[in-house]
Amino acid sequence: MDINKRTILWIVFSVSLVILWNEWMISTGRPSMFSSNTTQTVKAPAAAAPAALAASGAAALPGASADPAAFKSERITITTDVIKVDIDTLGGQVKRLELLKFKGAGNPGWFGGCFGLFKWCQPDEGKQNEVLFDEGANHAYLAQTGLVGGPFPTHNTGFTVQPGVRTLGDGKQIQLVMEAVQGGVKLTKTFTFKRGDYVIDVRHDVANVGTEKVTPQLYMQLVHDGNKPVGDSFFNSSYTGPTLYTPQDKYQKLTFEKVEKAAAEDERKGNDAASKALHPQRADGGWFAISQHFFVSAFVPPANIARDIFTKKLSPNMYAIGNLMTLPSLAPGASAAIDSKLYSGPQIAHLLENVSPGLELVKDYGWLTIIAKPIFWVMEQIHSVLGNWGWTIIAFTILIKLAFFPLSAAGYRSMAKMKLVTPKMTAIRERYKGDPQKMNQATMELYKTEKINPLGGCLPILIQMPVFIALYWVLNASVEIRGAPWIGWITDLAQHDPWCILPVLYAISMFITTKLNPAPADPMQAKMMLFMPLAFSVMFFFFPSGLVLYWVVNNVLSIGQQWVITKKYAPSTV
């Protein structure tokens, strides 16, 4: 039994060292040992995507139109009270979207910016606003729409812009109208921006201005490189990639890795060009999105219109997810229109629920969603009273401790009994150290005589673990906590503690907890038990301060409860 415990402790310690080393590698710009999804340089998708698609020869997907080099594009900037958006006249692409109410994630230095006395490892607080859609040397994130089925306007066609207001001001909404004509088809894009809203209404009016009947198809797609967003790390990581929802198959994560593997498999099999370009999934509703930690961008086409959902590798380290919808056949002079939504903003559940059914599922609570959702609802109610997320975490921790008080008390009583019989356990080990079988028999007899359940201290913890894990995901996934201050030095509960005060308090509380527990009979195991709080507190240097605050408060309450029970109940059980 001692050998098994010692082995487990060494495994935990070794894994902790590996994780710490990996975090240092990431913090200093080196590739992670656990992921091949490291930052790569990407080409500008405006040119790369159509070239790749045109080479595929796939008529069902957006391809190249007129040479974009012949068109002098410009960006039209629209500003509301919550977003600032740049839309390119080349294709009407959303090239940049800035969230005016959210600050960007900093770039924490080694050890998460702890030991702030040293300038080289202080955190960059990220004074700039959070930017979703954007394009640069190491990043590409775009929203594109257009027509296929002929030489029609695509996201590489030059559009003319109608004059209008570009800043919301005192109004309730503003519009940007863009037009392009190609192949006898006129495409008009109308973007509508509303006050206090992260939803952009996107209307596509398609008119046949030629002399022949046409049957165009409208595509909408989101393009993203395969890199993780800034600030993502092993200890504070989340899913980044394509997601979708359909009434038939519900919520799905596709991942850039799956898209890459599908493209490689097609190339290996030598499939034809159309197969390489399109991996369709038929649906008659739903949405598709690019999700990342705290934020999401989602296209929501109109419901009850059949569409093909496609994913595609556009070029090295660049991918697309989109919808393709067939419009009615248009005779000369006829027209059709499709109204869609583009949500690009925070993963706030009540906002997402109002946009489309199932969109709130992008707020990823992991496999314990059924527990995490009620937890967050309770925390929201507490926050509505206290108005501070730090105090909300503390109040919720107290409620959890009260709810599990009887269970914890039973565990602490069992540990108190174990502590009292430790001298007898030591004597048994000394007496039968050469005969493990007799040692186990004598130990079990001692448990029976003293009426001790050897698992009494473990079972309460195991029962509570799902709640603790769910709370971890709630604190890790909730954008409401991002940028929320507590007191003094804690200005963002979603970021690490810049002065490492909470991790140090955690280490102290764990040390006290260890001293209150019965000491292992094996001296080596006892030393390891004293060292483990230090190892785990080092890992907590990287954790969001809100999570560490929860554990500190939980440990302090546990120490008080354990001390009282040890003093009050243990003597009467001897």
Side-chain angles (χ1 to χ4, degrees):
M1 186 69 177
D2 286 342
I3 295 176
N4 290 337
K5 288 182 179 179
R6 189 184 304 171
T7 302
I8 292 172
L9 287 172
W10 275 113
I11 290 174
V12 172
F13 177 62
S14 301
V15 170
S16 301
L17 289 180
V18 172
I19 291 174
L20 288 171
W21 176 259
N22 180 71
E23 185 67 17
W24 179 83
M25 294 280 284
I26 295 173
S27 299
T28 54
R30 295 172 175 83
S32 168
M33 296 185 294
F34 304 112
S35 174
S36 60
N37 190 24
T38 54
T39 300
Q40 304 178 33
T41 300
V42 299
K43 297 180 180 179
L53 291 164
S56 75
L61 278 181
S65 57
D67 182 8
F71 178 79
K72 186 177 181 180
S73 67
E74 64 173 317
R75 292 193 182 187
I76 308 300
T77 301
I78 304 295
T79 305
T80 74
D81 58 326
V82 294
I83 57 175
K84 182 179 180 181
V85 187
D86 289 352
I87 299 179
D88 203 324
T89 56
L90 180 62
Q93 304 179 63
V94 180
K95 285 290 188 76
R96 189 175 188 276
L97 189 143
E98 179 180 342
L99 302 178
L100 303 181
K101 302 294 185 180
F102 293 89
K103 295 297 181 182
N107 184 22
W110 187 57
F111 265 55
C114 280
F115 310 115
L117 293 175
F118 300 99
K119 185 177 180 180
W120 59 271
C121 67
Q122 284 187 4
D124 172 10
E125 295 298 338
K127 299 297 184 181
Q128 301 299 317
N129 292 329
E130 181 72 30
V131 175
L132 297 185
F133 293 118
D134 199 13
E135 185 178 18
N138 295 309
H139 180 59
Y141 190 2
L142 308 170
Q144 302 169 338
T145 66
L147 300 175
V148 292
F152 304 143
T154 71
H155 64 273
N156 262 335
T157 302
F159 279 71
T160 59
V161 180
Q162 294 183 4
V165 177
R166 305 303 184 216
T167 302
L168 184 62
D170 296 330
K172 292 183 178 180
Q173 68 176 40
I174 52 176
Q175 289 187 331
L176 173 63
V177 181
M178 317 177 77
E179 297 177 343
V181 179
Q182 189 176 351
V185 171
K186 178 181 179 181
L187 174 61
T188 303
K189 297 184 181 183
T190 304
F191 299 89
T192 302
F193 306 83
K194 291 164 287 191
R195 177 174 297 279
D197 202 341
Y198 294 98
V199 174
I200 304 172
D201 292 331
V202 184
R203 178 182 175 92
H204 293 86
D205 289 280
V206 183
N208 185 351
V209 295
T211 59
E212 300 291 335
K213 182 179 180 180
V214 295
T215 307
Q217 293 176 297
L218 173 68
Y219 69 86
M220 294 177 284
Q221 67 181 18
L222 297 170
V223 175
H224 200 289
D225 59 85
N227 302 328
K228 290 282 189 179
V230 174
D232 189 273
S233 67
F234 183 87
F235 290 101
N236 195 22
S237 183
S238 67
Y239 175 79
T240 299
T243 56
L244 65 92
Y245 180 93
T246 65
Q248 296 82 10
D249 298 318
K250 307 305 179 182
Y251 180 62
Q252 302 173 59
K253 292 181 180 178
L254 301 183
T255 77
F256 297 127
E257 290 80 5
K258 289 181 181 178
V259 179
E260 178 73 35
K261 288 179 181 178
E265 184 67 15
D266 276 338
E267 185 174 354
R268 186 185 68 81
K269 291 180 179 179
N271 291 343
D272 58 29
S275 176
K276 290 179 182 178
L278 183 63
H279 297 276
Q281 179 179 343
R282 194 71 172 173
D284 59 3
W287 49 263
F288 63 94
I290 296 290
S291 300
Q292 67 183 64
H293 199 190
F294 297 130
F295 303 101
V296 64
S297 295
F299 261 123
V300 185
N304 301 321
I305 293 184
R307 78 286 306 268
D308 287 318
I309 303 167
F310 65 85
T311 58
K312 179 171 172 59
K313 178 182 178 181
L314 300 178
S315 62
N317 197 42
M318 183 148 60
Y319 311 92
I321 180 172
N323 276 187
L324 187 67
M325 293 171 285
T326 301
L327 300 175
S329 296
L330 300 177
S335 63
I338 289 185
D339 291 298
S340 304
K341 298 176 182 178
L342 173 60
Y343 178 93
S344 190
Q347 294 179 6
I348 297 177
H350 71 270
L351 296 180
L352 300 174
E353 290 169 353
N354 292 333
V355 176
S356 180
L359 189 56
E360 73 281 358
L361 296 175
V362 299
K363 187 173 182 179
D364 193 358
Y365 290 135
W367 55 279
L368 286 172
T369 299
I370 192 171
I371 302 176
K373 278 192 172 182
I375 286 177
F376 185 71
W377 182 86
V378 173
M379 292 183 69
E380 279 190 309
Q381 307 311 307
I382 297 173
H383 181 263
S384 66
V385 176
L386 300 181
N388 180 286
W389 280 105
W391 295 115
T392 296
I393 292 171
I394 293 173
F396 183 80
T397 307
I398 295 172
L399 286 179
I400 288 292
K401 292 300 292 184
L402 289 175
F404 285 109
F405 182 85
L407 199 60
S408 300
Y412 293 142
R413 282 194 292 270
S414 178
M415 285 189 287
K417 293 179 182 179
M418 290 285 290
K419 191 171 184 178
L420 289 175
V421 300
T422 296
K424 296 180 181 179
M425 293 284 295
T426 303
I428 290 174
R429 293 175 189 275
E430 288 294 327
R431 188 183 312 157
Y432 301 108
K433 61 182 177 181
D435 192 340
Q437 184 175 359
K438 288 186 178 180
M439 181 189 299
N440 290 335
Q441 289 177 350
T443 301
M444 296 307 296
E445 284 294 329
L446 177 63
Y447 287 156
K448 186 176 180 180
T449 302
E450 300 291 341
K451 298 180 180 180
I452 295 175
N453 179 4
L455 298 178
C458 299
L459 289 177
I461 297 176
L462 292 177
I463 294 173
Q464 296 175 57
M465 280 306 294
V467 175
F468 295 151
I469 295 173
L471 181 58
Y472 168 86
W473 285 110
V474 166
L475 297 177
N476 191 55
S478 298
V479 70
E480 292 88 345
I481 298 173
R482 188 178 189 267
W486 176 40
I487 57 172
W489 76 104
I490 301 296
T491 58
D492 186 349
L493 289 163
Q495 292 293 321
H496 55 268
D497 183 338
W499 293 100
C500 295
I501 294 175
L502 289 177
V504 169
L505 291 177
Y506 171 82
I508 295 172
S509 66
M510 283 299 297
F511 178 80
I512 296 173
T513 300
T514 303
K515 297 298 289 184
L516 288 174
N517 290 335
D522 184 0
M524 182 62 183
Q525 186 176 334
K527 291 179 180 179
M528 285 293 295
M529 290 298 292
L530 288 175
F531 180 76
M532 290 308 293
L534 178 61
F536 280 105
S537 65
V538 171
M539 288 194 297
F540 273 27
F541 289 163
F542 307 106
F543 274 57
S545 56
L547 289 171
V548 186
L549 175 62
Y550 161 75
W551 281 111
V552 169
V553 175
N554 181 73
N555 282 358
V556 170
L557 295 174
S558 297
I559 289 170
Q561 185 180 9
Q562 188 173 358
W563 185 84
V564 169
I565 289 175
T566 300
K567 293 295 182 181
K568 184 175 182 179
Y569 295 101
S572 62
T573 60
V574 177

